[in-house]
Amino acid sequence: MAAEHIVTGYDQDLRRLENMITEMGGLAEAQLADAINALIKFDTEQATAIVENDKRIDALESEIDAFTINLIALRQPMADDLRVVITGLKIATNIERIGDYAKNIAKRTLTLASTPTIGGSINTIARMAGMVQNMIKDVLDAYVARDADKADAVRLRDLEVDQLYASLFRELLTYMMEDPRKIGRCTHLLFIAKNLERTGDHITSIAERIHFMVHGTMPLDERPKSDTSVYTMVGPES
Amino acid sequence: MAAEHIVTGYDQDLRRLENMITEMGGLAEAQLADAINALIKFDTEQATAIVENDKRIDALESEIDAFTINLIALRQPMADDLRVVITGLKIATNIERIGDYAKNIAKRTLTLASTPTIGGSINTIARMAGMVQNMIKDVLDAYVARDADKADAVRLRDLEVDQLYASLFRELLTYMMEDPRKIGRCTHLLFIAKNLERTGDHITSIAERIHFMVHGTMPLDERPKSDTSVYTMVGPES
């Protein structure tokens, strides 16, 4: 009876950790959706709220750290469970960063709201954000279901995000060269696109950690990586 | 005698974890120094080696994860030691990212090497890199010495890095507007500067984790943050 009670409490703790992580992930996902909405509508009120809300995500990471340490000290989980717990701790770090990217997009929106619109690029950015949001949803599902195959599939989708970013990089630089008055605005859009590209990288990292959680090893294949923008040189200088 | 043996083995494990983290930190620090050197000299051979060497840093993170899980499972450390171990695990994540930034600078160097030099900006970037390198050294020392005051002091120095970044942001955008042929090159330099600014953020994060490791709480004051570049709009549009 006593043993049963301990097992139940232990399972409840693991479930609680899982809930904290999915709550944190859900918040980051919502923040990102809001950030893109605020950008499209140049909604400074929403952007300001996003900057403020990020504190809740940061606080959740600290709560998860403290909870995990207590859980391990109290329950002394064995190797397999320990891998689940440690993975949760690492995933929280990735989610915290995704929250930071949403906040950064909101801050840049506050700046961009003071200048006219830019045409097509915001639509491409919104498309990129849509991809990334779906990836967050799916990777959180994979985490809860402990589904390594699903996580592996999410990981592969980052290729598309990278490709869209590389084409956006080229597009924005072309805009800048055509009209140097757009340089300030386009640079902020470039960093917003970069934030989304980095969000994709963090989702990839979460997916790899889920693979590790389930199988005890990292995915063996090199991650498909096609952010070719680092090698891009445009215009008269190239 | 048996008890003493266990304690010794346990201490050795903790020491081994500490050594792995300082080895990883030392590698990241060296990679960053090399990346800036390669950038200044447009040394494509060194830049290529840096991209390759990053795999060692990534591998060390995986080794630290696996070692930590085994250490916890085998030694079942109590709350205080557990905080030390968990902090090590989280710091490894920060160091891995710092390694990625060095790699990204090296990749952009390969692109920049094909075009003429840009004048003053590379010197400012080198100065920023110098600051960041000293901060990595000091934060690793603070980790080994478990010196929260030293870590807190490193954390405050990130303000200077942010300020230099914000002024570099403005400078590079001005160059672009004066001569649109420089847009491609300046954009890569802007991302290199951003990589260094982000490296400063990760060092700050390491410093906060050391504070947590020593005191069991995160630093209470808001981190001084002055990357004002997100609010910067330059030129005719502003």
Side-chain angles (χ1 to χ4, degrees):
Chain A
M1 202 57 186
E4 195 182 309
H5 178 73
I6 289 165
V7 170
T8 307
Y10 179 41
D11 286 346
Q12 276 175 348
D13 277 357
L14 288 177
R15 191 62 50 88
R16 169 110 180 79
L17 177 62
E18 192 179 288
N19 287 343
M20 287 169 95
I21 289 164
T22 49
E23 183 194 346
M24 197 183 169
L27 273 176
E29 185 193 322
Q31 285 275 92
L32 193 63
D34 289 350
I36 297 303
N37 185 61
L39 173 67
I40 290 169
K41 297 183 180 156
F42 291 131
D43 183 338
T44 55
E45 208 168 304
Q46 189 172 32
T48 306
I50 291 161
V51 173
E52 189 56 31
N53 291 342
D54 185 55
K55 288 177 188 156
R56 178 70 196 124
I57 296 179
D58 291 350
L60 263 171
E61 191 194 5
S62 294
E63 286 169 33
I64 288 169
D65 286 3
F67 185 80
T68 304
I69 290 172
N70 283 333
L71 187 155
I72 296 174
L74 197 67
R75 309 289 181 187
Q76 305 191 328
M78 290 296 106
D80 276 14
D81 278 346
L82 202 49
R83 214 163 58 219
V84 172
V85 172
I86 294 291
T87 299
L89 197 73
K90 288 231 155 190
I91 286 178
T93 311
N94 294 115
I95 297 174
E96 191 272 333
R97 277 303 301 154
I98 293 174
D100 279 353
Y101 292 127
K103 180 174 73 171
N104 192 274
I105 291 171
K107 285 183 178 177
R108 293 186 194 277
T109 295
L110 293 173
T111 307
L112 287 165
S114 65
T115 69
T117 55
I118 307 256
S121 294
I122 284 191
N123 293 335
T124 315
I125 286 174
R127 194 148 64 89
M128 219 176 139
M131 279 184 191
V132 166
Q133 276 167 250
N134 286 330
M135 285 168 67
I136 298 179
K137 274 195 197 79
D138 290 345
V139 89
L140 290 174
D141 287 349
Y143 167 70
V144 172
R146 302 195 185 175
D147 185 339
D149 290 344
K150 186 169 182 138
D152 291 347
V154 174
R155 181 171 171 262
L156 293 179
R157 277 152 61 192
D158 191 41
L159 190 71
E160 254 178 285
V161 176
D162 285 349
Q163 283 166 346
L164 203 52
Y165 171 68
S167 92
L168 203 50
F169 182 90
R170 189 173 283 275
E171 181 181 317
L172 285 166
L173 261 61
T174 306
Y175 282 151
M176 291 190 212
M177 280 184 298
E178 283 169 3
D179 184 358
R181 287 172 307 168
K182 287 183 178 167
I183 286 173
R185 271 169 283 160
C186 285
T187 301
H188 286 297
L189 288 175
L190 200 56
F191 276 110
I192 287 172
K194 182 70 188 167
N195 284 335
L196 294 172
E197 189 269 333
R198 289 287 309 137
T199 300
D201 288 347
H202 279 278
I203 297 166
T204 301
S205 167
I206 294 172
E208 288 170 353
R209 296 192 200 286
I210 294 168
H211 184 105
F212 171 78
M213 178 175 83
V214 175
H215 295 301
T217 54
M218 294 298 268
L220 279 180
D221 56 317
E222 281 276 307
R223 184 164 81 82
K225 183 76 192 159
S226 76
D227 170 16
T228 54
S229 75
V230 290
Y231 300 121
T232 299
M233 193 57 90
V234 295
E237 66 206 344
S238 62
Chain B
M1 201 58 186
E4 195 183 310
H5 177 73
I6 289 166
V7 171
T8 307
Y10 180 39
D11 286 346
Q12 276 175 349
D13 277 358
L14 289 177
R15 192 62 51 88
R16 169 110 179 80
L17 177 62
E18 191 180 289
N19 287 344
M20 286 168 95
I21 288 164
T22 50
E23 183 193 345
M24 197 181 167
L27 272 176
E29 185 194 323
Q31 284 275 90
L32 192 63
D34 288 351
I36 297 303
N37 186 62
L39 172 66
I40 290 168
K41 297 184 180 155
F42 291 130
D43 184 339
T44 55
E45 208 168 306
Q46 188 173 30
T48 306
I50 291 161
V51 173
E52 189 58 30
N53 290 342
D54 185 55
K55 288 177 189 157
R56 178 70 196 123
I57 296 179
D58 291 350
L60 262 171
E61 191 194 6
S62 295
E63 285 168 34
I64 288 169
D65 286 3
F67 184 81
T68 305
I69 291 171
N70 283 332
L71 186 154
I72 296 174
L74 197 66
R75 309 290 182 185
Q76 305 191 330
M78 290 296 106
D80 276 14
D81 278 346
L82 203 47
R83 214 163 59 220
V84 171
V85 171
I86 294 293
T87 299
L89 197 73
K90 288 232 154 190
I91 286 177
T93 311
N94 294 116
I95 297 174
E96 191 273 332
R97 278 302 302 155
I98 293 174
D100 279 352
Y101 292 127
K103 181 174 73 171
N104 192 274
I105 291 171
K107 284 183 178 175
R108 292 186 194 278
T109 295
L110 292 173
T111 306
L112 287 165
S114 65
T115 68
T117 55
I118 308 255
S121 295
I122 284 192
N123 293 336
T124 315
I125 287 174
R127 194 148 66 89
M128 218 177 140
M131 279 181 190
V132 166
Q133 276 167 251
N134 286 330
M135 285 167 67
I136 299 179
K137 274 195 196 78
D138 290 346
V139 90
L140 290 173
D141 287 349
Y143 167 70
V144 172
R146 301 194 187 176
D147 185 340
D149 290 344
K150 186 168 182 141
D152 291 347
V154 173
R155 180 171 171 262
L156 293 179
R157 277 153 60 193
D158 191 41
L159 189 71
E160 257 179 284
V161 175
D162 285 349
Q163 283 166 345
L164 203 52
Y165 171 69
S167 92
L168 203 50
F169 183 90
R170 189 173 281 276
E171 181 183 317
L172 284 165
L173 260 61
T174 306
Y175 282 150
M176 291 191 213
M177 280 183 297
E178 284 170 2
D179 184 356
R181 287 172 307 169
K182 287 184 179 165
I183 285 173
R185 271 169 284 160
C186 285
T187 301
H188 285 297
L189 288 175
L190 200 56
F191 276 110
I192 288 173
K194 183 70 189 168
N195 284 336
L196 293 173
E197 189 269 332
R198 289 289 308 138
T199 300
D201 288 347
H202 279 278
I203 296 166
T204 300
S205 167
I206 293 172
E208 288 170 353
R209 297 193 200 286
I210 294 168
H211 184 105
F212 171 78
M213 177 175 82
V214 175
H215 295 301
T217 55
M218 293 299 268
L220 278 181
D221 55 318
E222 279 276 308
R223 185 163 81 82
K225 183 73 193 162
S226 76
D227 171 15
T228 54
S229 75
V230 289
Y231 299 121
T232 299
M233 194 57 90
V234 295
E237 67 206 343
S238 63

